[in-house]
Amino acid sequence: METSEVEKFNLKNFLSAKGAAIAAASVAVVGLGTLAMSSSVADGNTIVTGVRADEHQLSGLDKFAAEKVFTDIAAQKIHPLTFRYEGETFEITPEEINLTPLVDKAAQEALNYGRGGTAIGNFNEQMKCMLNGRNVHLTASFDSTLLDEKLNDIAAQINRDPVNAVVEFASGGAIEKIPGVIGKKLNTEQIAENLRDPLTTLNLPNNTIELVPDDIQPFVTTEDIAGIDSVLGTYSTYYYPGDRGDNIWLAANSISHKLVKSSWTFSFNDTVGERTWGNGYKVAGVIINGRPAEDYGGGVCQVSSTLYNAVLLAGLTPTERTPHFFQSTYIAPGRDATVADGQIDFKFRNDFPHNVYLIAEAYGSTLSVYVLGTKADLGGADIAIEREGSDMSPSIYRVWYSGNDVIRSEFLHTDVYEVPKPRQD
């Protein structure tokens, strides 16, 4: 009888296939059991294994117990902020800035690990927590407005305005130089920004914070006046007290104790400001369109004219100067310098290698302007103002002398004055 073509039964292959099926079934059972366990954990109210807060284990705790742990952590981390400047200490307490640990948020975050997703996702998250651990960081909130207010309170005790260096006349006419004072300003915005992360993460500095305010240099520094050693030029005019005299006093104060650095240009109008009632000026005699009139600031031209002559005698360079329509009673023809708000200015430039310094005084009935500077800048020369021509058309020269010898003669200008027009009331 012939053998059948049907393949013979292979017991080995049969057992191998059966084993694979059994193994797969076993994995499926374990997987289903694990997923069932993950689902059970997700439905529970305790924190999964591996979750901690710093060195504190949170596994198995419910939310209430976790909150107590985070409350204890907050008590250890939160303390006043202490600052120090020049031996004085300042403190900001947590209550003053409403620093609040977010205990509920941290406990909820710990409880959320391994929950809230799919069964497989929860299982993966729980396995990661078990194998690698999860650290929940306690954070906090604070009132930034209150922090700014407390820092500003501290700054008010530290900040100081700079003080300009000053040149004055001591008794006997000697020049006295008073050093400037560097100001201090605490950068509270930067300090607040630097504290933002430590406050929100509750990594508060344990040491005292040393405050380092910024230096604010005065406009006139001690170095600016270091070279001033003499009066380079001075000039005086005279006036009657009254509203006009009050205006002269006000304008003189505006130009007094002003530094003009080397290569700088000085503007009378920019320095004095507008001659208005709001700025303290009174109504007095002025010239408008060639006619006598009255307006606020009458008399200020006497200050600009007196300054002009002091500037000429000091060897400085006038760059903008305009005469009056007709001669002034307080100064010689050709030596006046009129000014008007927004229209006519008097300017000069300091071409010396060193700075110059203005002092103006108006007392009683005398107005005096002094230009102080470095004597060596004049090279030992003396300066005189000389005139040619008539009072109605004077030509003005600045002459530099060395003893009786003329070093140079400098033509300045020729003025042409008009006859005063009748006043219109």
Side-chain angles (χ1 to χ4, degrees), residues 287 301 304-305 321-325 330 336-340 344-346:
I287 300 172
C301 290
S304 57
S305 296
R321 174 264 173 185
T322 303
H324 286 85
F325 281 101
Y330 53 80
D336 57 326
T338 188
V339 290
I344 305 172
D345 199 1
F346 167 62

Side-chain angles (χ1 to χ4, degrees), residues 124-200:
N124 289 335
E125 183 64 36
Q126 292 164 21
M127 290 300 296
K128 289 179 182 179
C129 288
M130 185 182 299
L131 296 174
N132 302 322
R134 285 290 185 273
N135 191 29
V136 179
H137 295 286
L138 177 63
T139 59
S141 65
F142 67 96
D143 191 321
S144 59
T145 300
L146 292 177
L147 176 63
D148 291 342
E149 290 176 359
K150 298 305 297 183
L151 290 174
N152 288 335
D153 289 343
I154 295 173
Q157 302 177 66
I158 294 174
N159 292 351
R160 68 173 181 233
D161 292 331
V163 179
N164 284 337
V166 174
V167 183
E168 293 182 344
F169 291 121
S171 58
I175 292 176
E176 178 181 6
K177 291 181 279 188
I178 302 172
V181 178
I182 296 175
K184 298 291 181 181
K185 182 175 178 57
L186 196 63
N187 189 341
T188 56
E189 294 84 0
Q190 187 60 57
I191 295 173
E193 182 61 31
N194 293 342
L195 288 173
R196 185 178 305 279
D197 183 68
L199 287 170
T200 54

Side-chain angles (χ1 to χ4, degrees), residues 31-45 114-120 122-123 126:
L32 289 172
T34 303
L35 291 176
M37 180 186 71
S38 172
S39 177
S40 176
V41 171
D43 292 338
N45 61 355
R115 291 181 170 84
T118 64
I120 294 176
N122 289 341
F123 170 71
Q126 292 164 21

Side-chain angles (χ1 to χ4, degrees), residues 63 66-67 70-71 101-110 138-139:
K63 185 181 178 184
E67 288 178 350
F70 283 114
T71 299
L102 303 179
V103 170
D104 180 79
K105 178 176 178 291
Q108 188 63 51
E109 180 183 343
L138 177 63
T139 59

